[in-house]
Amino acid sequence: AVARRNIALEMLLSTPLSVDQIIHGQILSLKRIFLLPVVTILSIEIAGLAGGIYLLQAGERGQPVGFSIFFGILYLSIFLLDVATLTWTGMWFGLSSKNETTAIVKTILYVLVLPFMGSFFCWFGILFFIGWPIFWIVWSTQKLRAEFRTLAAHRYLFKPQESRWLPLPGNPASPPPIIYNRT
C-alpha cells in the first residue's frame, strides 16, 4: 500500500519486469525482514516441544509421547501455513486496499481471527485451521497474479484530470469564467 502511494510502484510498472518477477522480489524482501524472527519463534517452539517430550519420558508414569509429538508437529505445520497465508494475503490486501491500516486489519481478521473463532466449534476447528489458510493462499495468489497491473495502475489510470485554467497545448481546459461585479 505504501509503494502504491509513492513512486516505487510506478517505477516497477514502467520496467519490463513480469508480475511474477515483481511478486518474487516482494517475497524476497519479506524473507529478508521476517525470516530471522520466524526462525527464532520456530526454534523456541521446537525447544519447548522437545523439553516437554523429555519431561514426559523422564516422568514416573512413563506417559506415551506420540500424542505430544503429533500435536506439536500439527501446531508447527499450522504456524508455517499461517506464515505463508499472511504473506500472500497481506500482499493482496496491501495492493487492493486503500491504506495500510485497512490491509493489516483485513489480513489479520481473515487469516488469524476467523480460524480462531472456528475453533470454538470443535467439529469445524481443523477445517478452519488447515482449509481456511489454504483457501486464502490459493485465492490471493490467483487474484494477485491476475489483477496486479490493473490494481497497481488504478491510481494512475482512473485519476480524474485536474482542471487547469491555463490553456496549454493539448489541454482542452478553458480558463475560468470572469465574473464582473456591476454595481
Side-chain angles (χ1 to χ4, degrees):
V2 173
R4 191 175 61 187
R5 251 188 323 161
N6 63 22
I7 198 164
L9 199 53
E10 184 180 31
M11 288 190 319
L12 277 176
L13 290 173
S14 65
T15 63
L17 294 174
S18 68
V19 171
D20 286 335
Q21 290 172 327
I22 295 171
I23 292 171
H24 181 69
Q26 181 68 26
I27 290 173
L28 288 177
S29 173
L30 289 171
K31 279 183 183 178
R32 184 177 52 93
I33 295 169
F34 293 109
L35 185 63
L36 183 62
V38 168
V39 168
T40 303
I41 290 171
L42 279 174
S43 301
I44 292 170
E45 294 291 338
I46 290 171
L49 179 64
I53 290 172
Y54 174 75
L55 290 176
L56 280 176
Q57 286 181 339
E60 296 174 9
R61 293 180 252 167
Q63 297 178 4
V65 295
F67 185 74
S68 298
I69 292 173
F70 172 74
F71 279 104
I73 291 172
L74 181 66
Y75 171 76
L76 294 175
S77 301
I78 289 173
F79 176 77
L80 291 174
L81 188 62
D82 282 343
V83 168
T85 307
L86 287 169
T87 300
W88 286 101
T89 308
M91 282 193 296
W92 167 249
F93 285 134
L95 185 65
S96 63
S97 299
K98 290 185 179 185
N99 57 34
E100 302 87 23
T101 306
T102 306
I104 292 169
V105 168
K106 284 181 179 179
T107 302
I108 291 173
L109 177 69
Y110 291 143
V111 175
L112 299 175
V113 174
L114 285 179
F116 178 72
M117 300 301 264
S119 69
F120 292 118
F121 306 106
C122 61
W123 53 90
F124 292 122
I126 199 73
L127 174 71
F128 279 125
F129 278 114
I130 294 175
W132 191 254
I134 291 171
F135 162 77
W136 278 107
I137 288 172
V138 170
W139 187 81
S140 298
T141 303
Q142 290 175 350
K143 294 290 277 183
L144 194 63
R145 287 190 172 126
E147 299 180 23
F148 182 83
R149 290 209 179 265
T150 305
L151 285 174
H154 183 77
R155 172 180 167 197
Y156 305 106
L157 294 177
F158 302 107
K159 185 176 179 182
Q161 293 292 325
E162 298 175 10
S163 62
R164 293 181 276 183
W165 65 274
L166 288 176
L168 299 174
N171 183 14
S174 58
I178 299 173
I179 299 174
Y180 295 102
N181 188 2
R182 296 183 185 196
T183 52

